[in-house]
Amino acid sequence: MTRCLLVDEDHEERQVLSELLGQYGFDMAETASADAALKHCRVNSPDIVVTADRIGSMSAGEFVKRVRRAANGRKPVVLVYTEKANTDEIGSAIIEGAAEFLLKPFDRDLLEFKLKQVGLL
């Protein structure tokens, strides 16, 4: 089963996205902070990490870099979603290893397309 970690400070946003991602049969885990997410990655090695573009004071690029180090040799697919297209943030996250960016609001069709694109469906 594909293990998915969802990271967002906003509880309601996590609920909506968890339901959306759960439709694909992923084994879902959620965290509200970057520290909790990194700890989860060290212990559980998720296959995919879906995260907001900013978690607390940590940028997407810094978070992606740390996730990829915390994964103990396994490199999870990282999808970053954002409300506004910030080319500096997007570029930094892609350079650090993010597989894709999603611009909110996105629907099931776009998410499914991106998941297929990165080889998870």
Side-chain angles (χ1 to χ4, degrees):
M1 178 174 282
T2 301
R3 291 175 295 195
C4 179
L5 174 61
L6 176 59
V7 187
D8 195 313
E9 292 178 299
D10 185 308
H11 176 72
E12 290 178 22
E13 188 71 30
R14 281 196 323 271
Q15 282 186 308
V16 169
L17 290 172
S18 184
E19 287 177 24
L20 190 59
L21 288 160
Q23 295 176 22
Y24 300 104
F26 295 157
D27 179 17
M28 294 298 302
E30 302 174 19
T31 67
S33 73
D35 289 338
L38 295 170
K39 186 175 186 178
H40 180 88
C41 287
R42 282 190 289 275
V43 174
N44 298 297
S45 297
D47 301 300
I48 180 172
V49 177
V50 180
T51 183
D53 61 333
R54 183 160 289 282
I55 307 150
S57 63
M58 192 178 296
S59 70
E62 182 64 23
F63 179 72
V64 172
K65 179 170 60 173
R66 290 184 183 192
V67 162
R68 299 193 45 95
R69 280 193 307 216
N72 297 323
R74 290 194 54 183
K75 303 290 186 204
V77 171
V78 181
L79 299 180
V80 180
Y81 57 90
T82 184
E83 289 187 22
K84 54 186 176 221
N86 179 330
T87 55
D88 291 337
E89 287 288 325
I90 293 169
S92 173
I94 296 292
I95 287 169
E96 295 299 342
E100 278 294 336
F101 253 86
L102 292 159
L103 190 58
K104 287 174 42 180
F106 55 87
D107 60 11
R108 186 176 194 270
D109 291 337
L110 180 58
L111 178 61
E112 188 169 312
F113 173 76
K114 295 291 185 175
L115 292 170
K116 286 179 180 176
Q117 205 172 29
V118 298
L120 289 169
L121 292 181

